[in-house]
Amino acid sequence: MSSSKHSNELRRLALSVLQPGFVGTEAPDWILRDIGDGLASVVLFSRNIVSIEQVARLTARLRAENPDLIVAIDEEAGDVTRIESATGSSRPGNFALGTVDDAELTGAVAADLGRQLRAAGVSLDYAPSADVNSNPDNPIIGVRSFGSDPDVVCRHTTAWIRGLQSSGVAACAKHFPGHGDVAVDSHHDLPAYTAGLDEIAAQALPPFRAALAAGVRAVMSGHLLVPAYDPDLPATLSPRILQGLLREELGFDGLIVSDAIEMGAVTRRYGIDGATAKAVAAGVDAVCVGGESAEEATVALLVKALVTAVTGGELPEERLADAAGRVREFARWSAGLRVAGAAGDPAGDGIGHVAARRAVRLTGAARAALPLTAPPHVVELAPVTNMAIGQETPWGVAGPLRERLPGTTSVRVRGQELEEGTVALESCALEPAAGRPLVIVARDAARHAWMSRAVTGLTAARPDAIVVEMGLPGTTTAAPAQIFTHGASAASGVAAAEVLTGASAS
């Protein structure tokens, strides 16, 4: 093969292992050109989505260049939604489903989501999170996990995968080998999972074994250090973890996808180009990029990095060709899965709201104080959303309450505003609620000191206040009357409003 032909082939192989995002609701020319040149995957984010019909047109245009193109999306439902980012998810997330602990219900919710994604032309969903959230201070997983019990996570990981794939959309179990016991957000820096081998085997790995048994054909690596397996390299860049543990010990023969390669956990040490080359050398087959770096220049940079790594001897050409082959194999399989998917109404069958209602839990004092008999004042305490969620989607209970009790008023308070003294709880919460019911909405109060203090202060001043916790239930806010939704999806907000107004039997 001539030098120029070899260079073109290397470029084509490099393109085929990237899964880039792009900006806009129509396919940019550069993406179409790259698909023609060998790009085998793209990933969609909320910036690409207006409606199911618009996404279907977009994906059809993309597949005009390659009918087997993998179209991926990071759609977990619940707090992390792309397809419903404008409205908030009409389905609860994993923690709510794990709280209900009805595997049949979880499968039905996933199948309902799968029908919607399939109608939009999506073939791969970066879900479910198979992480066991064993660290309550975890800043990145939380309600994205089915729970802290490995058995519960195994049951619902299995049900989610089978449900989603029954509708024709491939699942992707993440974040291998388990992101649940960390205290650092990998979007910003490198977290460490410091458990020993026995604890990892008992706590973190069972859901991934369950995912493989359920027929998952894609696994996403996590950007975390696991010293018991590799004290030097994060999982995405570690041959010991990807080849040794996932391929050889667990027997996985499908597609290994990286978590977003532009995340700080890997780029702060290796740069986006260096991390990409090291990831493929370590065993990653498809490199996800474009949540933040969604430009043509980024794809060109990563293609160059992969080609240079091959010619420089850092990345064996056989490994790059193997990765490209696994992408092609997955593309063919997922295209067939999409064709064979069960038909159904892509508009949804309402199972998400059923599940959200079943996930609501009340303390006795809350039950005794309901239903509300007058329009309340609602104070929503809003944390800074992490980058996995992306842009803040609609959440809370004020909107759904206002529909049921006209005259409901509300204010949303952020921690920075309280800490800097630009707002006062007395004027925005207690004064408007004088003579009226007060509803306080928190989101992971146990993880945010300012929020815990705010809830404590408000309930001390108004012991009759009802607290709605839309994150992980914690022990730092001992309000007499509490409602727990186990997630902050739009569906969970509606479910809480129904409980508050007596429209639900929960």
Side-chain angles (χ1 to χ4, degrees), residues 47-380:
R47 62 181 177 237
N48 306 120
I49 295 167
V50 174
S51 67
I52 298 298
E53 295 76 19
Q54 168 265 323
V55 179
R57 291 191 298 271
L58 170 61
T59 56
R61 178 66 188 93
L62 293 166
R63 287 204 175 95
E65 304 297 323
N66 175 6
D68 287 348
L69 182 75
I70 300 167
V71 178
I73 195 168
D74 189 12
E75 174 61 56
E76 300 176 14
D79 290 26
V80 179
T81 182
R82 315 299 182 202
I83 205 74
E84 296 184 297
S85 61
T87 60
S89 179
S90 59
R91 304 167 185 91
N94 285 0
F95 188 56
L97 295 171
T99 297
V100 178
D101 200 11
D102 179 343
E104 185 175 344
L105 177 68
T106 294
V109 170
D112 181 56
L113 173 62
R115 289 189 291 272
Q116 189 176 53
L117 295 179
R118 178 171 173 257
V122 170
S123 55
L124 170 62
D125 186 10
Y126 296 151
S129 168
D131 307 294
V132 180
N133 195 63
S134 50
N135 185 344
D137 292 325
N138 193 322
I140 189 62
I141 301 301
V143 295
R144 300 168 64 198
S145 167
F146 290 112
S148 59
D149 182 336
D151 290 340
V152 170
V153 178
C154 285
R155 277 197 297 277
H156 293 279
T157 295
T158 296
W160 178 278
I161 290 167
R162 290 176 175 167
L164 186 74
Q165 296 192 162
S166 73
S167 293
V169 176
C172 178
K174 63 186 184 185
H175 308 79
F176 188 82
H179 214 301
D181 190 11
V182 301
V184 171
D185 184 343
S186 51
H187 288 89
H188 305 297
D189 209 342
L190 180 63
Y193 179 24
T194 58
L197 292 175
D198 290 345
E199 184 178 343
I200 293 170
Q203 185 81 8
L205 295 183
F208 291 97
R209 294 184 184 276
L212 270 56
V216 81
R217 297 283 292 270
V219 171
M220 177 177 283
S221 64
H223 300 328
L224 69 160
L225 196 68
V226 189
Y229 284 98
D230 190 331
D232 301 314
L233 293 170
T236 298
L237 313 183
S238 171
R240 297 182 195 176
I241 292 175
L242 299 185
Q243 299 285 357
L245 176 59
L246 182 54
R247 292 272 188 231
E248 296 170 16
E249 184 176 330
L250 271 63
F252 180 62
D253 195 38
L255 186 76
I256 299 178
V257 184
S258 79
D259 205 348
I261 204 67
E262 63 263 48
M263 289 165 61
V266 291
T267 59
R268 288 184 64 176
R269 288 159 177 78
Y270 307 103
I272 190 172
D273 49 350
T276 296
K278 286 180 178 295
V280 176
V284 165
D285 305 308
V287 178
C288 174
V289 63
E292 301 167 64
S293 302
E295 301 83 21
E296 179 182 7
T298 299
V299 174
L301 173 67
L302 300 189
V303 167
K304 180 180 179 181
L306 290 168
V307 171
T308 301
V310 171
T311 57
E314 299 170 13
L315 170 60
E317 185 172 345
E318 296 78 9
R319 167 81 274 271
L320 181 60
D322 173 65
R326 290 182 186 276
V327 171
R328 288 193 300 271
E329 180 182 358
F330 183 88
R332 288 191 295 268
W333 172 79
S334 62
L337 183 70
R338 186 161 47 90
V339 171
D345 184 357
D349 58 10
I351 192 66
H353 284 96
V354 171
R357 286 193 293 269
R358 289 184 61 186
V360 176
R361 300 289 184 269
L362 288 74
T363 63
R367 196 177 299 275
L370 299 177
L372 296 175
T373 57
H377 181 63
V378 182
V379 180
E380 294 177 335

Side-chain angles (χ1 to χ4, degrees), residues 398-421:
L401 267 179
R402 198 171 287 115
E403 294 178 4
R404 289 158 178 79
L405 287 175
T408 294
T409 57
S410 65
V411 64
R412 182 164 287 186
V413 179
R414 302 180 185 278
Q416 185 177 5
E417 296 171 322
L418 284 182
E419 299 290 354
E420 293 180 354

